[in-house]
Amino acid sequence: MMHYVKTLTIAGSDSGGGAGIQADIKTMSALGCYASSVVTAVTAQNTKQVFCIQNIEAAVVEAQLRAVLTDLRPDTIKIGMVGCAENIKTIAQVLAEYNDIPLVIDPVMVSTSGNKLMEEEAIGTFCRHLLPMATVLTPNIAEAEVLARHTIVTVADIDKAAEEILKLGCKALLIKEGNEKTDRLYFSDNSKPLIFESETIDSFNTHGTGCTLSSAIAAFLARGLRLEKAVAMAKNYIPQAIRA
């Protein structure tokens, strides 16, 4: 009988199914994990835009979290869209009791179509309470600019942003360069960053690739891989998923 490793995704629901908690569950399941979930927000969206967002009450988020953690106890946790400051504080407080579980945090702030997915006043709360708990943080360029508080144009800018973000407390940082298909993995011990490249695929089916990448990293960590190998395997998985 197959033994499934267990993962947990804490994220918003995407009615279109291409991103958010739906993409997380699909990815984790495809990579051989039993995926549990905590819904932080409900969104009305498709592959083109977000129409509306409703955050879930913090008490309900906490109840979901405790229900999963006291029974299923995942091997790795992935966090995506958290939405509001109250939910961020609640998630951080609960997860502080389970600090031995690897935590992949994708700081979802703005959708591809430009809609804000994290309230402005929640960003500081996120940086203080949740970001320092990350085993690995996986921002894209736009999110890295918000966290580092400066514009990114060159590779030197990315390196500088990484330095600033790591000061906030995460153990490792994967900055995704988007269209360049090159991601850079930085470590809190100031060791040399690792560069991960993947092929460019001519496709419009790229909605949710950020969610999928962070979920794949979480799945491979749950299966016992070291972070560097988990990132490499996840990067290799994305082109396969886009083709399919």
Side-chain angles (χ1 to χ4, degrees), residues 85-212:
E86 191 175 0
N87 280 348
I88 292 168
K89 289 179 183 177
T90 297
I91 293 166
Q93 287 169 359
V94 174
L95 293 186
E97 302 170 24
Y98 299 87
N99 57 15
D100 59 326
I101 301 176
L103 188 58
V104 178
I105 301 182
D106 190 24
V108 178
M109 295 177 178
V110 182
S111 71
T112 305
S113 56
N115 295 85
K116 286 190 175 182
L117 300 179
M118 183 184 291
E119 295 175 359
E120 195 69 34
E121 62 271 21
I123 295 173
T125 303
F126 173 81
C127 290
R128 290 190 301 273
H129 294 275
L130 205 50
L131 185 154
M133 303 175 73
T135 302
V136 59
L137 189 76
T138 64
N140 58 30
I141 292 294
E143 292 156 351
E145 287 181 327
V146 172
L147 295 171
R149 298 183 178 182
H150 71 75
T151 303
I152 294 174
V153 178
T154 66
V155 171
D157 293 334
I158 298 175
D159 290 339
K160 179 61 178 175
E163 183 181 338
E164 295 301 316
I165 296 169
L166 285 169
K167 289 178 183 177
L168 298 174
C170 55
K171 296 181 182 68
L173 170 68
L174 181 71
I175 297 184
K176 301 171 292 189
E177 290 189 53
N179 293 334
E180 300 302 320
K181 305 295 186 255
T182 301
D183 298 345
R184 303 169 73 83
L185 180 63
Y186 300 84
F187 302 92
S188 58
D189 64 1
N190 294 318
S191 56
K192 185 178 179 180
L194 300 178
I195 312 301
F196 297 89
E197 297 181 346
S198 59
E199 60 184 303
T200 298
I201 297 174
D202 186 17
S203 172
F204 293 107
N205 301 317
T206 56
H207 174 65
T209 49
C211 301
T212 300

